[in-house]
């Protein structure tokens, strides 16, 4: 796909679809700015003296909230015809959480900052849970069944470029301002991107979402029984999300280990940590275009296997070296595979979701992801304290490679 065609839009979209694509792309710029804060939050906590367990809570707290709220939110959203409103509001609320961390950490006593930041992060996980459900539903509705790779390639490549540039600039800024004011200023400014995101995402125009015809008087027990009956008949969905659960457990296990490894073992500066993250995100745009083209030539099963293998090997390779140059190279290569994984996981999940029950089924898929995201980071940091950071990275990589093997055994008929 050429850059000119990328900017001009897809020729087979009607004017409303073209505007929706454009608003999704513009929203990606705002989200990309906000996402630049994400890799620095665990580093901020680490430099404030947080324990491994507390750093692990950054991944576990969203999972805990999602585990409690995902299914009820899915049931609520299933009855909402205007899903865009909830998508844009939840996005803004989540991003503004970074701004609150920046502002309020300025006012907190130094001894309370770690706990205070974790409490603020816990509040931000409420809109984050709703966002995780509405995002897939809205993006699928905007893309339709034939343009998922096209839409997400555009969105995530723009987001990746924006984030990589912002992360690199932030890394240079952090080295030039005294700690902790440097992090507080960065989070405060990036949190304002939530307002920009709300403006563009709320401009998306979609038909009213289908609402299942259920008697108003039906109780919780009856609704749950009907939901389980529908779910049992969706074996392709269950097969895919079970395998994805294994793979994402390995990914979540190593998530809090990377910043700890970079700071405590590699002794990387903020500038080098920014460079590593920039290498991984800057290459995403290339990866998205590459895998989007491969999806038309080879189908998605080929992409699914190569990307799960490539991402699974990354933590193993990182654990074999303390040279920041090599880690940066590995991060760039992993970014290519991560781009394809993002695309194929989204596409394969939405293929298996009944449109009339999209919010409920996406909520269940997120619920399983939250289980792994809640348990695995704490397990990872515990393994790190017990066996060492390198061993924790090896174990996480091994779990991801088990997920790759399970996808390799999945029925070919169940994968596009």
């Amino acid at each position: 796909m050429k850059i000119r065609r990328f900017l001009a839009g897809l020729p087979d979209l009607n004017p409303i679809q073209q505007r929706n694509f454009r608003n999704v792309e513009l929203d990606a710029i705002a989200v990309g700015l906000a996402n630049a804060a994400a890799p620095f939050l665990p580093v901020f906590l680490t430099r404030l003296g947080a324990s491994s367990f507390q750093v692990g809570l950054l991944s576990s707290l969203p999972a805990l909230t999602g585990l409690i709220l995902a299914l009820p939110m899915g049931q609520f959203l299933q009855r909402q015809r205007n899903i865009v409103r909830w998508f844009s509001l939840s996005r803004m609320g989540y991003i503004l959480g970074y701004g609150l961390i920046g502002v309020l950490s300025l006012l907190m006593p130094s001894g309370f900052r770690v706990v205070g930041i974790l409490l603020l992060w816990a509040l931000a996980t409420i809109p984050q849970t709703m966002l995780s459900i509405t995002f897939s539903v809205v993006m699928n509705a905007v893309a339709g069944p034939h343009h998922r790779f096209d839409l997400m390639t555009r969105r995530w490549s723009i987001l990746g470029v924006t984030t990589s540039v912002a992360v690199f600039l932030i890394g240079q800024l952090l080295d030039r301002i005294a700690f902790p004011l440097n992090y507080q200023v960065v989070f405060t400014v990036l949190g304002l991107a939530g307002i920009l995101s709300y403006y563009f995402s709320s401009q998306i125009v979609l038909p009213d979402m289908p609402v299942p015809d259920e008697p108003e008087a039906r109780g919780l027990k009856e609704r749950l029984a009907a939901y389980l009956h529908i779910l049992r008949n969706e074996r392709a969905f269950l097969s895919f999300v079970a395998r994805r659960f294994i793979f994402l457990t390995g990914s979540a296990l190593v998530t809090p280990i990377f910043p700890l490894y970079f700071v405590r073992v590699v002794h990387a500066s903020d500038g080098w940590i920014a460079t590593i993250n920039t290498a991984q995100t800057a290459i995403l745009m290339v990866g998205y275009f590459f895998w989007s083209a491969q999806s038309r030539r080879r189908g998605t099963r080929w992409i699914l296997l190569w990307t799960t293998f490539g991402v699974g090997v990354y933590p193993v390779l990182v654990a074999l070296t303390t040279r920041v140059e090599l880690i940066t190279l590995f991060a760039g290569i992993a970014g290519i595979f991560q781009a394809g994984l993002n695309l194929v996981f989204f596409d394969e999940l939405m293929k298996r979701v009944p449109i009339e029950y999209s919010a409920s089924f996406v909520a269940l898929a997120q619920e399983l992801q939250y289980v792994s995201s809640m348990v695995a980071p704490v397990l990872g940091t515990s393994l790190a304290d017990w066996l060492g950071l390198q061993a924790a990275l090896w174990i996480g990589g091994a779990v991801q490679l088990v997920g790759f093997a399970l996808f390799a055994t999945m029925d070919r008929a169940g994968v596009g």
Side-chain angles (χ1 to χ4, degrees), residues 31-45:
V31 176
L33 291 172
N35 280 359
F40 294 104
L41 187 54
V43 177
F44 185 32
L45 282 182

PDB file of all heavy atoms in Angstrom, residues 31-45:
ATOM      1  N   VAL A  31      -4.264   9.740  20.880  1.00  0.00           N
ATOM      2  CA  VAL A  31      -3.978   8.558  21.688  1.00  0.00           C
ATOM      3  C   VAL A  31      -2.485   8.247  21.665  1.00  0.00           C
ATOM      4  O   VAL A  31      -1.908   7.832  22.678  1.00  0.00           O
ATOM      5  CB  VAL A  31      -4.792   7.352  21.190  1.00  0.00           C
ATOM      6  CG1 VAL A  31      -4.428   6.087  21.965  1.00  0.00           C
ATOM      7  CG2 VAL A  31      -6.286   7.622  21.321  1.00  0.00           C
ATOM      8  N   GLY A  32      -1.850   8.481  20.519  1.00  0.00           N
ATOM      9  CA  GLY A  32      -0.411   8.255  20.426  1.00  0.00           C
ATOM     10  C   GLY A  32       0.366   9.143  21.379  1.00  0.00           C
ATOM     11  O   GLY A  32       1.350   8.703  21.993  1.00  0.00           O
ATOM     12  N   LEU A  33      -0.068  10.391  21.507  1.00  0.00           N
ATOM     13  CA  LEU A  33       0.582  11.292  22.472  1.00  0.00           C
ATOM     14  C   LEU A  33       0.401  10.782  23.895  1.00  0.00           C
ATOM     15  O   LEU A  33       1.353  10.750  24.687  1.00  0.00           O
ATOM     16  CB  LEU A  33      -0.009  12.698  22.344  1.00  0.00           C
ATOM     17  CG  LEU A  33       0.324  13.461  21.058  1.00  0.00           C
ATOM     18  CD1 LEU A  33      -0.483  14.757  20.994  1.00  0.00           C
ATOM     19  CD2 LEU A  33       1.810  13.766  20.990  1.00  0.00           C
ATOM     20  N   ALA A  34      -0.819  10.363  24.221  1.00  0.00           N
ATOM     21  CA  ALA A  34      -1.081   9.859  25.571  1.00  0.00           C
ATOM     22  C   ALA A  34      -0.308   8.579  25.848  1.00  0.00           C
ATOM     23  O   ALA A  34       0.209   8.371  26.957  1.00  0.00           O
ATOM     24  CB  ALA A  34      -2.580   9.625  25.747  1.00  0.00           C
ATOM     25  N   ASN A  35      -0.212   7.704  24.850  1.00  0.00           N
ATOM     26  CA  ASN A  35       0.487   6.435  25.036  1.00  0.00           C
ATOM     27  C   ASN A  35       1.976   6.616  25.318  1.00  0.00           C
ATOM     28  O   ASN A  35       2.631   5.705  25.839  1.00  0.00           O
ATOM     29  CB  ASN A  35       0.314   5.543  23.806  1.00  0.00           C
ATOM     30  CG  ASN A  35      -1.036   4.846  23.803  1.00  0.00           C
ATOM     31  OD1 ASN A  35      -1.827   5.008  24.723  1.00  0.00           O
ATOM     32  ND2 ASN A  35      -1.304   4.091  22.755  1.00  0.00           N
ATOM     33  N   ALA A  36       2.503   7.780  24.960  1.00  0.00           N
ATOM     34  CA  ALA A  36       3.915   8.037  25.247  1.00  0.00           C
ATOM     35  C   ALA A  36       4.188   8.067  26.740  1.00  0.00           C
ATOM     36  O   ALA A  36       5.333   7.889  27.178  1.00  0.00           O
ATOM     37  CB  ALA A  36       4.339   9.364  24.607  1.00  0.00           C
ATOM     38  N   ALA A  37       3.150   8.265  27.534  1.00  0.00           N
ATOM     39  CA  ALA A  37       3.332   8.275  28.989  1.00  0.00           C
ATOM     40  C   ALA A  37       3.469   6.868  29.560  1.00  0.00           C
ATOM     41  O   ALA A  37       4.092   6.678  30.613  1.00  0.00           O
ATOM     42  CB  ALA A  37       2.153   8.988  29.662  1.00  0.00           C
ATOM     43  N   ALA A  38       2.883   5.883  28.878  1.00  0.00           N
ATOM     44  CA  ALA A  38       2.788   4.528  29.434  1.00  0.00           C
ATOM     45  C   ALA A  38       4.130   3.900  29.803  1.00  0.00           C
ATOM     46  O   ALA A  38       4.280   3.376  30.917  1.00  0.00           O
ATOM     47  CB  ALA A  38       2.013   3.631  28.480  1.00  0.00           C
ATOM     48  N   PRO A  39       5.153   3.919  28.919  1.00  0.00           N
ATOM     49  CA  PRO A  39       6.405   3.264  29.295  1.00  0.00           C
ATOM     50  C   PRO A  39       7.160   3.949  30.421  1.00  0.00           C
ATOM     51  O   PRO A  39       8.037   3.338  31.043  1.00  0.00           O
ATOM     52  CB  PRO A  39       7.224   3.300  27.995  1.00  0.00           C
ATOM     53  CG  PRO A  39       6.668   4.424  27.202  1.00  0.00           C
ATOM     54  CD  PRO A  39       5.197   4.433  27.530  1.00  0.00           C
ATOM     55  N   PHE A  40       6.809   5.210  30.710  1.00  0.00           N
ATOM     56  CA  PHE A  40       7.546   5.942  31.748  1.00  0.00           C
ATOM     57  C   PHE A  40       6.895   5.847  33.129  1.00  0.00           C
ATOM     58  O   PHE A  40       7.534   6.188  34.126  1.00  0.00           O
ATOM     59  CB  PHE A  40       7.684   7.416  31.340  1.00  0.00           C
ATOM     60  CG  PHE A  40       8.548   7.613  30.135  1.00  0.00           C
ATOM     61  CD1 PHE A  40       7.987   7.888  28.907  1.00  0.00           C
ATOM     62  CD2 PHE A  40       9.928   7.489  30.229  1.00  0.00           C
ATOM     63  CE1 PHE A  40       8.779   8.059  27.785  1.00  0.00           C
ATOM     64  CE2 PHE A  40      10.735   7.654  29.117  1.00  0.00           C
ATOM     65  CZ  PHE A  40      10.164   7.935  27.885  1.00  0.00           C
ATOM     66  N   LEU A  41       5.654   5.382  33.189  1.00  0.00           N
ATOM     67  CA  LEU A  41       5.006   5.283  34.497  1.00  0.00           C
ATOM     68  C   LEU A  41       5.681   4.241  35.396  1.00  0.00           C
ATOM     69  O   LEU A  41       5.975   4.541  36.561  1.00  0.00           O
ATOM     70  CB  LEU A  41       3.517   4.980  34.323  1.00  0.00           C
ATOM     71  CG  LEU A  41       2.679   5.000  35.599  1.00  0.00           C
ATOM     72  CD1 LEU A  41       2.852   6.312  36.353  1.00  0.00           C
ATOM     73  CD2 LEU A  41       1.204   4.765  35.273  1.00  0.00           C
ATOM     74  N   PRO A  42       5.975   3.016  34.902  1.00  0.00           N
ATOM     75  CA  PRO A  42       6.712   2.088  35.770  1.00  0.00           C
ATOM     76  C   PRO A  42       8.123   2.558  36.094  1.00  0.00           C
ATOM     77  O   PRO A  42       8.637   2.289  37.190  1.00  0.00           O
ATOM     78  CB  PRO A  42       6.725   0.775  34.970  1.00  0.00           C
ATOM     79  CG  PRO A  42       6.473   1.159  33.566  1.00  0.00           C
ATOM     80  CD  PRO A  42       5.588   2.361  33.627  1.00  0.00           C
ATOM     81  N   VAL A  43       8.761   3.267  35.170  1.00  0.00           N
ATOM     82  CA  VAL A  43      10.095   3.809  35.437  1.00  0.00           C
ATOM     83  C   VAL A  43      10.013   4.882  36.525  1.00  0.00           C
ATOM     84  O   VAL A  43      10.857   4.940  37.427  1.00  0.00           O
ATOM     85  CB  VAL A  43      10.711   4.394  34.142  1.00  0.00           C
ATOM     86  CG1 VAL A  43      12.069   5.027  34.437  1.00  0.00           C
ATOM     87  CG2 VAL A  43      10.858   3.311  33.077  1.00  0.00           C
ATOM     88  N   PHE A  44       8.979   5.725  36.461  1.00  0.00           N
ATOM     89  CA  PHE A  44       8.759   6.752  37.473  1.00  0.00           C
ATOM     90  C   PHE A  44       8.612   6.117  38.855  1.00  0.00           C
ATOM     91  O   PHE A  44       9.251   6.539  39.831  1.00  0.00           O
ATOM     92  CB  PHE A  44       7.509   7.558  37.107  1.00  0.00           C
ATOM     93  CG  PHE A  44       7.223   8.730  38.009  1.00  0.00           C
ATOM     94  CD1 PHE A  44       8.252   9.451  38.615  1.00  0.00           C
ATOM     95  CD2 PHE A  44       5.913   9.142  38.239  1.00  0.00           C
ATOM     96  CE1 PHE A  44       7.986  10.540  39.437  1.00  0.00           C
ATOM     97  CE2 PHE A  44       5.639  10.224  39.060  1.00  0.00           C
ATOM     98  CZ  PHE A  44       6.673  10.918  39.662  1.00  0.00           C
ATOM     99  N   LEU A  45       7.779   5.086  38.941  1.00  0.00           N
ATOM    100  CA  LEU A  45       7.589   4.403  40.217  1.00  0.00           C
ATOM    101  C   LEU A  45       8.883   3.766  40.709  1.00  0.00           C
ATOM    102  O   LEU A  45       9.212   3.820  41.896  1.00  0.00           O
ATOM    103  CB  LEU A  45       6.495   3.340  40.094  1.00  0.00           C
ATOM    104  CG  LEU A  45       5.042   3.827  40.108  1.00  0.00           C
ATOM    105  CD1 LEU A  45       4.099   2.643  40.032  1.00  0.00           C
ATOM    106  CD2 LEU A  45       4.749   4.655  41.338  1.00  0.00           C
TER     107      LEU A  45
END
